[in-house]
Amino acid sequence: MRTYSLTVLLWSCMFHVIHMMPSQKRTNKHSHSERITGLSENGGKTLHRTKRGWMWNQFFLLEEYTGPDTQYVGKLHTDQDKGDGNLKYILTGDGAGSLFIIDENTGDIHAAKKLDREEKSLYVLRAKAIDRKTGRQVEPESEFIIKIHDINDNEPKFTKDMYTASIPEMSGVGTSVIQVTATDADDANYGNSAKVVYSILQGQPYFSVDPETGIIKTALPDMSRENREQYQVVIQAKDMGGQMGGLSGTTTVNITLTDVNDNPPRFPQSTYQFSSPESAPPGTPLGRIKANDPDVGENAEIEYSISNGDGSDMFDIVTDKDTQEGIITVKKHLDFENKMLYTLRVEATNTHPDPRFLQLGPFKDTALVKISVEDTDEPPVFSRPWYLIEADEDAKEGSIIGQVVAHDPDITKNAIKYSVDRHTDLDRIFNIYSGNGSLFISKPLDREETPWHNITVIATEINNPKQSSQIPVFIRILDINDHAPEFAKYYETFVCENAKAGQLIQTVSAVDKDDPPQGHKFFFELVPEFAVHPNFSIVDNKDNTAGIMTRRNGYSRSKMSTYLLPIIIFDNDYPIQSSTGTLTIRVCACDSRGNMQSCNAEAFLLPAGLSTGALVAILLCIIILLLVVLFTALKRQRKKEPLIISKDDVRDNIVTYNDEGGGEEDTQAFDIGTLRNPEAREESKMRRDVIPETIFQIRRTAPLWENIDVQDFIHRRLKENDLDPAAPPYDSLATYAYEGNDSIANSLSSLESLTTEGNQDYDYLSDWGPRFKKLADMYGGEDSDRD
């Protein structure tokens, strides 16, 4: 208060001194006014210009004045003021009337309120003196400045209330961490109110701060994050150059030490123990191990590996990236009976070493891992992963084709029984001996039907049926030459009536269901009985085909419309198989170029089979013929017992009727179908109605394979039966449906008897020889009709 009073007093004195100075001694810096004197309008006096009697200087006030009275600023006064109260002082400008108040009578100026330099440091005001009576300015308006003097009323303030910074651990002394900044609102150009000095209040001895710049630096070497990671530093900023009485402000800086890879991994123990059942499949985890690394992030990443040991090929170790643990897994199947204990040496290595700290030593560590194998009851093990067995196609039922072998891998060596999975052998073609695993055949094999059989064999421990295993067995059926070759297709062959000798009319080929190792090789030839055929010949092309050639010029449809050419086809495998195929050759009319124009359709269809209509017509004709013959036989019946007693005894050929045949005693007559299809081969058989007194060798006649006309064929058959001493006369011409050209006995048909009156004489039958004796007895007697 004393200081402020003294200042005001001093300023008042200064103001008065200046004001009382003679006007001629005032500086030219300020504006001057002259008083003008002269005559007025009323008085006629002359107005004279006179100099202004007051001058304005710059005023100074202290901010934040807290005195009991208002702070006196100064006094306005003019020489025109006679003290009679005629003049009035007026103040305008910044804060006039609110901050600054003037006494209009005396011109005294006071500060009405406390001023703050930080809000406004100077004010510009204007003053004028007015005559109360006339309202005229006695002095020109003048401007003056009031400047606010600063006092240290603001403490330094930091730009942030809290700073955050980080620095790598193990940094050297003096490493910059962060810079802090504080500002002071006081006037930096007036005194030391705004001069700030930094100091550290908290954080020694780890950090220091530059007093002028505010840069924080490390103060201790080799600070370790693992020992301490967070630091809190308090920085003070003080004005007045840090002297006593200055104002101050503080801030907090949180400093974090970041990690560097300065620590190698270390196993907490030197040996680990694990166990695994021998049945553990590959990939099964057995346990985890972990090497400790105090670093964090990528600096703590570890890679595990097996460096050596007797189980390095049986086990593996992988790294869990989330937990940085090493997981030990099974790599191969274990066998307790083979090895019960394994030893591994596991190594843990940092994946991101820091070159700056390599001198500290290798960034890796090792530990010993022991794994014991536990015994389990294992299923039987086969000697092979699969079996391939070959069996001959003609192998007999019950013959052994192969064997499977399995054993119990356990020390107990339990007994094993074998069985076939019937889901893989539904037809039960194969079976197995349960004691030794030998496979044998239960049913015949056919390679052409099923060349491969895939079955499954099961081996089961007898003491523990739950322990079983199975194995696939592939059985390949080996081919044998059990199929004869045959024509590849049905050939529709024709020969032109105008064909020339040596002309190719057909090329035939063959197929065989067998599959010989060397491939198929077929041979073609005519049947041996007629190797030289009068009409056709065959030429083997040596490429599994053969050509059918003509042997003469010209063929007649009217005489022979169809030829049947039997061809023997041989293969080249062992044993040699052959078959006879009959080629049907039609005789057709052709043009000059050999193109077929027309053929005898009836002759072509007859060997292939009759149509349904034709069969019905033939059957009706036969029934009518039977009725007529039966009626005639009954009319001419004699005392001799007829051969046919039962009406139901109707045979399947015409010799069963009571005409020229042998009657019902002929139980093996010639089938009329042979004439309809001569290619059907007939074998000589013993007569069932003749019991020979002695056993004799049946004479086997050579078959007639040459296709000549029916007339020639019948004559050959007649001659053959005439020379057979053991055969009765059962060679009735009626069995061949052909009576020949002319018979010396004339017609023997009983149908003609219906057109003649009276009885017909059959005595001439007795002249035909012993073979017609029975026929003569039947029709030659007069009493036959009566009987």
Side-chain angles (χ1 to χ4, degrees):
M1 294 297 297
R2 293 180 179 179
T3 303
Y4 290 153
S5 300
L6 181 62
T7 304
V8 173
L9 178 61
L10 178 62
W11 174 248
S12 300
C13 294
M14 291 176 61
F15 180 81
H16 287 288
V17 170
I18 294 174
H19 187 74
M20 289 185 296
M21 290 177 60
S23 60
Q24 65 270 15
K25 292 184 180 180
R26 297 172 184 170
T27 61
N28 295 329
K29 181 178 180 180
H30 304 283
S31 59
H32 300 275
S33 59
E34 295 179 354
R35 180 178 301 162
I36 301 175
T37 60
L39 295 175
S40 64
E41 293 179 358
N42 296 327
K45 295 181 179 180
T46 303
L47 297 176
H48 297 279
R49 180 183 298 272
T50 59
K51 293 183 180 181
R52 188 171 50 190
W54 55 301
M55 177 181 65
W56 301 109
N57 286 327
Q58 181 173 342
F59 298 112
F60 293 92
L61 288 179
L62 292 177
E63 66 171 338
E64 304 293 341
Y65 175 72
T66 57
D69 300 327
T70 59
Q71 187 176 189
Y72 182 72
V73 179
K75 183 180 178 63
L76 298 180
H77 184 74
T78 177
D79 295 340
Q80 300 296 326
D81 187 1
K82 303 300 183 181
D84 53 4
N86 291 329
L87 294 180
K88 182 175 68 174
Y89 296 95
I90 298 175
L91 184 66
T92 60
D94 293 340
S98 59
L99 294 179
F100 302 101
I101 301 174
I102 188 171
D103 187 342
E104 63 180 13
N105 295 321
T106 62
D108 293 327
I109 301 174
H110 290 83
K113 296 180 180 180
K114 182 173 61 176
L115 303 178
D116 187 357
R117 188 200 67 83
E118 284 71 34
E119 292 182 1
K120 193 174 181 65
S121 60
L122 58 87
Y123 298 87
V124 178
L125 297 173
R126 291 179 296 279
K128 54 186 176 181
I130 300 175
D131 189 339
R132 294 178 182 270
K133 295 179 180 181
T134 61
R136 296 175 56 189
Q137 294 185 11
V138 295
E139 294 286 348
E141 186 179 65
S142 182
E143 180 179 286
F144 64 97
I145 296 173
I146 299 176
K147 189 173 183 181
I148 308 303
H149 267 288
D150 181 52
I151 64 173
N152 190 16
D153 59 343
N154 290 280
E155 71 277 3
K157 293 184 178 180
F158 286 93
T159 56
K160 295 181 180 180
D161 295 335
M162 181 175 293
Y163 291 84
T164 301
S166 63
I167 185 174
E169 63 173 334
M170 308 300 290
S171 297
V173 176
T175 303
S176 296
V177 179
I178 192 174
Q179 182 178 16
V180 295
T181 302
T183 58
D184 196 322
D186 293 327
D187 189 0
N189 298 321
Y190 182 79
N192 294 327
S193 297
K195 187 177 181 181
V196 178
V197 174
Y198 300 95
S199 62
I200 184 168
L201 300 182
Q202 177 182 326
Q204 298 98 342
Y206 308 104
F207 299 95
S208 62
V209 63
D210 188 299
E212 295 183 359
T213 62
I215 297 176
I216 301 174
K217 300 178 180 180
T218 58
L220 285 181
D222 301 332
M223 287 190 294
S224 176
R225 184 200 65 84
E226 290 74 30
N227 295 332
R228 183 176 178 182
E229 184 177 4
Q230 299 287 340
Y231 293 87
Q232 190 175 72
V233 179
V234 178
I235 302 298
Q236 181 189 62
K238 190 174 183 180
D239 59 9
M240 297 299 293
Q243 297 178 2
M244 292 290 292
L247 302 178
S248 64
T250 59
T251 187
T252 301
V253 182
N254 293 321
I255 301 175
T256 302
L257 297 184
T258 59
D259 185 62
V260 297
N261 193 6
D262 58 339
N263 293 281
R266 291 289 181 265
F267 283 106
Q269 59 191 73
S270 59
T271 304
Y272 294 85
Q273 294 279 352
F274 297 102
S275 63
S276 171
E278 62 175 338
S279 59
T284 303
L286 302 181
R288 292 171 176 254
I289 61 175
K290 184 177 182 180
N292 298 326
D293 191 335
D295 297 322
V296 294
E298 69 174 15
N299 296 322
E301 292 182 1
I302 300 174
E303 187 71 27
Y304 296 90
S305 62
I306 299 177
S307 58
N308 54 44
D310 57 1
S312 58
D313 58 338
M314 302 298 296
F315 302 93
D316 198 3
I317 187 169
V318 294
T319 304
D320 188 334
K321 298 299 182 181
D322 296 329
T323 62
Q324 297 302 315
E325 293 177 314
I327 306 173
I328 299 176
T329 60
V330 178
K331 187 176 181 181
K332 294 182 180 180
H333 286 287
L334 304 175
D335 188 0
F336 172 81
E337 290 71 25
N338 185 29
K339 191 174 179 62
M340 295 180 289
L341 182 64
Y342 292 91
T343 302
L344 307 175
R345 184 164 293 279
V346 178
E347 184 176 83
T349 307
N350 273 143
T351 57
H352 299 85
D354 194 330
R356 297 175 299 172
F357 306 102
L358 292 180
Q359 71 276 3
L360 299 179
F363 280 73
K364 60 183 179 180
D365 195 14
T366 60
L368 199 64
V369 178
K370 294 182 179 181
I371 302 174
S372 58
V373 181
E374 299 175 351
D375 187 26
T376 58
D377 190 4
E378 300 176 89
V381 177
F382 284 92
S383 60
R384 301 179 188 174
W386 49 270
Y387 288 86
L388 173 62
I389 297 176
E390 295 180 344
D392 292 329
E393 185 178 6
D394 60 347
K396 303 299 181 182
E397 296 181 15
S399 56
I400 296 176
I401 60 174
Q403 184 181 20
V404 297
V405 178
H407 69 279
D408 183 9
D410 299 320
I411 297 178
T412 56
K413 302 298 180 184
N414 293 326
I416 296 173
K417 65 177 181 179
Y418 302 89
S419 61
V420 175
D421 185 357
R422 291 304 172 189
H423 293 90
T424 61
D425 184 25
L426 297 177
D427 296 332
R428 296 182 175 270
I429 299 176
F430 304 95
N431 212 331
I432 191 170
Y433 290 108
S434 61
N436 58 10
S438 297
L439 285 164
F440 61 91
I441 300 173
S442 299
K443 292 182 179 181
L445 303 176
D446 187 357
R447 188 203 67 85
E448 286 70 33
E449 181 180 351
T450 307
W452 282 89
H453 295 272
N454 300 332
I455 65 174
T456 299
V457 174
I458 303 173
T460 307
E461 290 186 11
I462 296 178
N463 296 334
N464 187 6
K466 293 183 179 180
Q467 293 296 337
S468 64
S469 58
Q470 57 186 16
I471 200 75
V473 179
F474 308 102
I475 302 174
R476 179 170 62 188
I477 308 303
L478 300 179
D479 184 37
I480 63 171
N481 195 22
D482 59 344
H483 289 83
E486 56 188 12
F487 281 133
K489 63 179 182 178
Y490 175 76
Y491 294 98
E492 296 182 356
T493 307
F494 71 92
V495 60
C496 295
E497 290 183 309
N498 58 356
K500 302 297 182 182
Q503 182 177 342
L504 176 65
I505 62 172
Q506 182 68 60
T507 300
V508 296
S509 61
V511 293
D512 194 338
K513 293 181 180 179
D514 295 320
D515 189 15
Q518 304 300 328
H520 290 293
K521 181 64 177 178
F522 301 122
F523 304 95
F524 303 86
E525 62 181 43
L526 296 176
V527 293
E529 291 83 353
F530 297 94
V532 180
H533 198 281
N535 298 311
F536 304 98
S537 63
I538 185 168
V539 177
D540 195 336
N541 296 327
K542 308 301 181 182
D543 60 353
N544 292 341
T545 63
I548 310 302
M549 313 293 292
T550 59
R551 294 198 64 183
R552 62 185 177 88
N553 297 327
Y555 296 84
S556 176
R557 277 189 297 166
S558 59
K559 185 177 181 180
M560 196 68 176
S561 62
T562 303
Y563 292 91
L564 300 177
L565 184 64
I567 300 174
I568 301 178
I569 310 172
F570 300 90
D571 58 19
N572 66 330
D573 204 358
Y574 179 83
I576 294 177
Q577 298 287 344
S578 65
S579 67
T580 302
T582 302
L583 191 65
T584 302
I585 304 175
R586 295 182 296 162
V587 181
C588 302
C590 303
D591 57 14
S592 58
R593 296 182 179 181
N595 298 321
M596 181 180 65
Q597 293 180 338
S598 64
C599 297
N600 189 342
E602 181 181 357
F604 175 71
L605 292 175
L606 187 58
L610 298 175
S611 64
T612 304
L615 290 175
V616 172
I618 293 174
L619 183 59
L620 291 174
C621 293
I622 293 174
I623 293 174
I624 294 174
L625 181 62
L626 286 174
L627 294 175
V628 173
V629 173
L630 181 61
F631 177 77
T632 303
L634 292 175
K635 184 178 180 181
R636 298 179 180 274
Q637 184 178 10
R638 299 190 179 184
K639 294 180 180 180
K640 194 171 183 178
E641 183 180 358
L643 294 178
I644 299 179
I645 298 176
S646 175
K647 296 180 180 181
D648 296 331
D649 190 9
V650 179
R651 310 295 172 87
D652 57 352
N653 50 58
I654 61 176
V655 297
T656 60
Y657 313 126
N658 52 351
D659 54 359
E660 296 96 327
E664 65 179 352
E665 296 180 359
D666 189 0
T667 58
Q668 192 171 350
F670 192 84
D671 189 358
I672 192 172
T674 304
L675 287 179
R676 300 299 182 189
N677 189 9
E679 76 173 315
R681 185 170 183 173
E682 177 183 353
E683 297 181 356
S684 298
K685 300 179 181 179
M686 294 182 61
R687 301 302 296 258
R688 293 178 293 175
D689 57 342
V690 177
I691 303 176
E693 296 180 357
T694 59
I695 299 176
F696 58 90
Q697 181 68 29
I698 300 300
R699 182 174 60 87
R700 189 177 292 273
T701 60
L704 298 177
W705 293 111
E706 183 179 6
N707 289 283
I708 59 178
D709 55 26
V710 178
Q711 177 183 357
D712 188 25
F713 178 74
I714 292 175
H715 285 302
R716 290 178 180 270
R717 295 293 291 175
L718 282 173
K719 183 178 179 181
E720 178 183 298
N721 285 272
D722 286 339
L723 297 177
D724 189 355
Y730 295 112
D731 54 349
S732 172
L733 293 177
T735 62
Y736 301 102
Y738 188 84
E739 294 181 347
N741 294 333
D742 293 312
S743 175
I744 60 175
N746 293 325
S747 176
L748 299 178
S749 174
S750 61
L751 297 177
E752 295 181 359
S753 63
L754 298 178
T755 61
T756 61
E757 296 179 359
N759 296 329
Q760 187 175 354
D761 186 11
Y762 293 100
D763 293 337
Y764 60 86
L765 294 177
S766 300
D767 300 333
W768 284 12
R771 295 186 179 277
F772 294 92
K773 184 178 182 300
K774 287 189 177 183
L775 190 60
D777 292 340
M778 292 174 60
Y779 294 95
E782 295 180 357
D783 298 333
S784 62
D785 291 340
R786 291 191 297 270
D787 295 338

PDB file of all heavy atoms in Angstrom, residues 274-288:
ATOM      1  N   PHE A 274       7.790 -87.574 -20.009  1.00  0.00           N
ATOM      2  CA  PHE A 274       6.471 -87.787 -20.622  1.00  0.00           C
ATOM      3  C   PHE A 274       6.304 -89.272 -20.902  1.00  0.00           C
ATOM      4  O   PHE A 274       7.277 -90.031 -20.912  1.00  0.00           O
ATOM      5  CB  PHE A 274       6.328 -86.994 -21.933  1.00  0.00           C
ATOM      6  CG  PHE A 274       6.409 -85.505 -21.744  1.00  0.00           C
ATOM      7  CD1 PHE A 274       7.569 -84.809 -22.052  1.00  0.00           C
ATOM      8  CD2 PHE A 274       5.321 -84.799 -21.278  1.00  0.00           C
ATOM      9  CE1 PHE A 274       7.652 -83.446 -21.902  1.00  0.00           C
ATOM     10  CE2 PHE A 274       5.389 -83.429 -21.105  1.00  0.00           C
ATOM     11  CZ  PHE A 274       6.552 -82.743 -21.412  1.00  0.00           C
ATOM     12  N   SER A 275       5.059 -89.678 -21.134  1.00  0.00           N
ATOM     13  CA  SER A 275       4.760 -91.069 -21.490  1.00  0.00           C
ATOM     14  C   SER A 275       3.719 -91.078 -22.593  1.00  0.00           C
ATOM     15  O   SER A 275       2.928 -90.128 -22.739  1.00  0.00           O
ATOM     16  CB  SER A 275       4.247 -91.843 -20.280  1.00  0.00           C
ATOM     17  OG  SER A 275       3.022 -91.285 -19.806  1.00  0.00           O
ATOM     18  N   SER A 276       3.726 -92.177 -23.365  1.00  0.00           N
ATOM     19  CA  SER A 276       2.799 -92.308 -24.482  1.00  0.00           C
ATOM     20  C   SER A 276       2.426 -93.770 -24.648  1.00  0.00           C
ATOM     21  O   SER A 276       3.292 -94.648 -24.596  1.00  0.00           O
ATOM     22  CB  SER A 276       3.428 -91.784 -25.779  1.00  0.00           C
ATOM     23  OG  SER A 276       2.621 -92.100 -26.896  1.00  0.00           O
ATOM     24  N   PRO A 277       1.132 -94.070 -24.861  1.00  0.00           N
ATOM     25  CA  PRO A 277       0.757 -95.451 -25.192  1.00  0.00           C
ATOM     26  C   PRO A 277       1.255 -95.805 -26.582  1.00  0.00           C
ATOM     27  O   PRO A 277       1.319 -94.943 -27.469  1.00  0.00           O
ATOM     28  CB  PRO A 277      -0.778 -95.433 -25.114  1.00  0.00           C
ATOM     29  CG  PRO A 277      -1.154 -94.004 -25.340  1.00  0.00           C
ATOM     30  CD  PRO A 277      -0.049 -93.185 -24.758  1.00  0.00           C
ATOM     31  N   GLU A 278       1.607 -97.030 -26.770  1.00  0.00           N
ATOM     32  CA  GLU A 278       2.147 -97.432 -28.065  1.00  0.00           C
ATOM     33  C   GLU A 278       1.100 -97.345 -29.172  1.00  0.00           C
ATOM     34  O   GLU A 278       1.445 -97.273 -30.348  1.00  0.00           O
ATOM     35  CB  GLU A 278       2.697 -98.849 -28.002  1.00  0.00           C
ATOM     36  CG  GLU A 278       1.658 -99.914 -27.677  1.00  0.00           C
ATOM     37  CD  GLU A 278       2.224-101.315 -27.751  1.00  0.00           C
ATOM     38  OE1 GLU A 278       3.246-101.486 -28.443  1.00  0.00           O
ATOM     39  OE2 GLU A 278       1.672-102.232 -27.122  1.00  0.00           O
ATOM     40  N   SER A 279      -0.164 -97.294 -28.813  1.00  0.00           N
ATOM     41  CA  SER A 279      -1.227 -97.207 -29.814  1.00  0.00           C
ATOM     42  C   SER A 279      -1.507 -95.780 -30.259  1.00  0.00           C
ATOM     43  O   SER A 279      -2.409 -95.561 -31.073  1.00  0.00           O
ATOM     44  CB  SER A 279      -2.514 -97.812 -29.252  1.00  0.00           C
ATOM     45  OG  SER A 279      -2.921 -97.124 -28.071  1.00  0.00           O
ATOM     46  N   ALA A 280      -0.776 -94.796 -29.727  1.00  0.00           N
ATOM     47  CA  ALA A 280      -1.027 -93.401 -30.095  1.00  0.00           C
ATOM     48  C   ALA A 280      -0.731 -93.205 -31.582  1.00  0.00           C
ATOM     49  O   ALA A 280       0.354 -93.530 -32.048  1.00  0.00           O
ATOM     50  CB  ALA A 280      -0.161 -92.467 -29.254  1.00  0.00           C
ATOM     51  N   PRO A 281      -1.682 -92.672 -32.334  1.00  0.00           N
ATOM     52  CA  PRO A 281      -1.438 -92.453 -33.763  1.00  0.00           C
ATOM     53  C   PRO A 281      -0.504 -91.271 -33.981  1.00  0.00           C
ATOM     54  O   PRO A 281      -0.339 -90.420 -33.086  1.00  0.00           O
ATOM     55  CB  PRO A 281      -2.845 -92.169 -34.311  1.00  0.00           C
ATOM     56  CG  PRO A 281      -3.595 -91.607 -33.147  1.00  0.00           C
ATOM     57  CD  PRO A 281      -3.046 -92.297 -31.927  1.00  0.00           C
ATOM     58  N   PRO A 282       0.127 -91.182 -35.137  1.00  0.00           N
ATOM     59  CA  PRO A 282       0.990 -90.026 -35.430  1.00  0.00           C
ATOM     60  C   PRO A 282       0.211 -88.723 -35.321  1.00  0.00           C
ATOM     61  O   PRO A 282      -0.940 -88.625 -35.721  1.00  0.00           O
ATOM     62  CB  PRO A 282       1.449 -90.301 -36.870  1.00  0.00           C
ATOM     63  CG  PRO A 282       1.364 -91.789 -37.021  1.00  0.00           C
ATOM     64  CD  PRO A 282       0.192 -92.206 -36.190  1.00  0.00           C
ATOM     65  N   GLY A 283       0.877 -87.715 -34.740  1.00  0.00           N
ATOM     66  CA  GLY A 283       0.249 -86.419 -34.519  1.00  0.00           C
ATOM     67  C   GLY A 283      -0.328 -86.234 -33.137  1.00  0.00           C
ATOM     68  O   GLY A 283      -0.772 -85.135 -32.792  1.00  0.00           O
ATOM     69  N   THR A 284      -0.331 -87.291 -32.310  1.00  0.00           N
ATOM     70  CA  THR A 284      -0.884 -87.181 -30.961  1.00  0.00           C
ATOM     71  C   THR A 284       0.042 -86.348 -30.068  1.00  0.00           C
ATOM     72  O   THR A 284       1.228 -86.639 -29.962  1.00  0.00           O
ATOM     73  CB  THR A 284      -1.057 -88.578 -30.347  1.00  0.00           C
ATOM     74  OG1 THR A 284      -1.896 -89.365 -31.186  1.00  0.00           O
ATOM     75  CG2 THR A 284      -1.660 -88.478 -28.961  1.00  0.00           C
ATOM     76  N   PRO A 285      -0.466 -85.269 -29.421  1.00  0.00           N
ATOM     77  CA  PRO A 285       0.385 -84.476 -28.521  1.00  0.00           C
ATOM     78  C   PRO A 285       0.626 -85.225 -27.212  1.00  0.00           C
ATOM     79  O   PRO A 285      -0.291 -85.821 -26.634  1.00  0.00           O
ATOM     80  CB  PRO A 285      -0.423 -83.199 -28.302  1.00  0.00           C
ATOM     81  CG  PRO A 285      -1.846 -83.595 -28.539  1.00  0.00           C
ATOM     82  CD  PRO A 285      -1.808 -84.683 -29.578  1.00  0.00           C
ATOM     83  N   LEU A 286       1.863 -85.187 -26.733  1.00  0.00           N
ATOM     84  CA  LEU A 286       2.230 -85.866 -25.495  1.00  0.00           C
ATOM     85  C   LEU A 286       2.397 -84.906 -24.327  1.00  0.00           C
ATOM     86  O   LEU A 286       2.196 -85.291 -23.178  1.00  0.00           O
ATOM     87  CB  LEU A 286       3.528 -86.658 -25.699  1.00  0.00           C
ATOM     88  CG  LEU A 286       3.513 -87.718 -26.806  1.00  0.00           C
ATOM     89  CD1 LEU A 286       4.850 -88.434 -26.862  1.00  0.00           C
ATOM     90  CD2 LEU A 286       2.372 -88.699 -26.593  1.00  0.00           C
ATOM     91  N   GLY A 287       2.804 -83.672 -24.579  1.00  0.00           N
ATOM     92  CA  GLY A 287       3.017 -82.713 -23.495  1.00  0.00           C
ATOM     93  C   GLY A 287       3.601 -81.422 -24.026  1.00  0.00           C
ATOM     94  O   GLY A 287       3.903 -81.292 -25.223  1.00  0.00           O
ATOM     95  N   ARG A 288       3.740 -80.454 -23.121  1.00  0.00           N
ATOM     96  CA  ARG A 288       4.246 -79.127 -23.480  1.00  0.00           C
ATOM     97  C   ARG A 288       5.420 -78.758 -22.576  1.00  0.00           C
ATOM     98  O   ARG A 288       5.425 -79.075 -21.381  1.00  0.00           O
ATOM     99  CB  ARG A 288       3.147 -78.065 -23.337  1.00  0.00           C
ATOM    100  CG  ARG A 288       2.020 -78.204 -24.349  1.00  0.00           C
ATOM    101  CD  ARG A 288       0.871 -77.270 -24.012  1.00  0.00           C
ATOM    102  NE  ARG A 288      -0.182 -77.319 -25.022  1.00  0.00           N
ATOM    103  CZ  ARG A 288      -0.417 -76.359 -25.931  1.00  0.00           C
ATOM    104  NH1 ARG A 288       0.346 -75.262 -25.924  1.00  0.00           N
ATOM    105  NH2 ARG A 288      -1.382 -76.483 -26.800  1.00  0.00           N
TER     106      ARG A 288
END
